[in-house]
Amino acid sequence: MNIVVEQLDKAFAGRCILHRLDLRVDAGEIVGIIGSNASGKSTLIQLLSGILRPDHGHITIAGVDIVHHPARAKRAITTVYQETLFNQAVRPITALLAHGRFYRPRLSAKDVRNTLLSLGILEQDLQKPLFKLSGGTKKKVEFAKCLLCDTPIY
């Protein structure tokens, strides 16, 4: 499984964020993306996740073109963002079930609950809406996506 980015461009309102970016991440590699504020790090992750579409260039995730076959490509990658993309009014189990069923149609509430508890989330926090959880607990809920979705890339 790998990620291949070729000649990637992305601009917003005429401002170039990424220009002719090439990147290859092979199976087993761990890559950190560093840079100053507004240098395109989050934009790159959103492009790799299929949230944004490139203006130019190609992205393949596990050999699948993310523009031409987005659902197939997205099933190979899970991302954890700085801010949660979950609906903040729902409880952790509900949020993860909704997200996880895209990747694992037979995902159960018991699987989700056990994963959250294994990450050290307290039983009483499972009953709270996400907006009432601490920042650290929200991060654990986000990280649980990687464990539950069982994607080859995260």
Side-chain angles (χ1 to χ4, degrees):
M1 295 293 166
N2 60 15
I3 299 170
V4 178
V5 175
E6 298 171 320
Q7 297 295 294
L8 186 67
D9 288 350
K10 185 65 184 172
F12 295 105
R15 181 173 180 260
C16 181
I17 304 298
L18 298 172
H19 181 68
R20 301 290 189 249
L21 177 70
D22 289 315
L23 172 71
R24 180 181 179 95
V25 181
D26 289 316
E29 284 187 289
I30 298 172
V31 175
I33 302 170
I34 59 173
S36 60
N37 290 346
S39 63
K41 302 177 301 290
S42 294
T43 299
L44 175 60
I45 298 301
Q46 290 173 354
L47 287 158
L48 294 174
S49 305
I51 293 172
L52 296 175
R53 290 179 62 112
D55 297 333
H56 178 267
H58 301 282
I59 301 170
T60 57
I61 306 293
V64 179
D65 186 295
I66 199 159
V67 172
H68 294 104
H69 304 285
R72 269 184 49 214
K74 288 178 192 179
R75 281 189 175 89
I77 189 167
T78 302
T79 51
V80 175
Y81 294 97
Q82 185 172 339
E83 297 295 328
T84 184
L85 299 181
F86 291 134
N87 176 348
Q88 294 292 299
V90 300
R91 295 177 181 154
I93 292 174
T94 303
L96 288 166
L97 278 172
H99 177 81
R101 288 206 170 117
F102 176 77
Y103 299 92
R104 284 179 54 195
R106 291 185 175 86
L107 184 64
S108 72
K110 182 179 178 182
D111 293 334
V112 174
R113 181 182 176 282
N114 289 341
T115 298
L116 291 169
L117 292 173
S118 75
L119 291 172
I121 295 177
L122 302 174
E123 183 76 45
Q124 66 253 25
D125 285 341
L126 299 180
Q127 305 309 314
K128 296 177 185 176
L130 290 168
F131 75 88
K132 288 194 173 186
L133 300 177
S134 71
T137 299
K138 285 180 187 177
K139 276 292 163 224
K140 289 177 183 179
V141 173
E142 278 281 322
F143 181 69
K145 289 189 315 186
C146 298
L147 300 175
L148 290 165
C149 294
D150 196 28
T151 56
I153 302 169
Y154 54 88

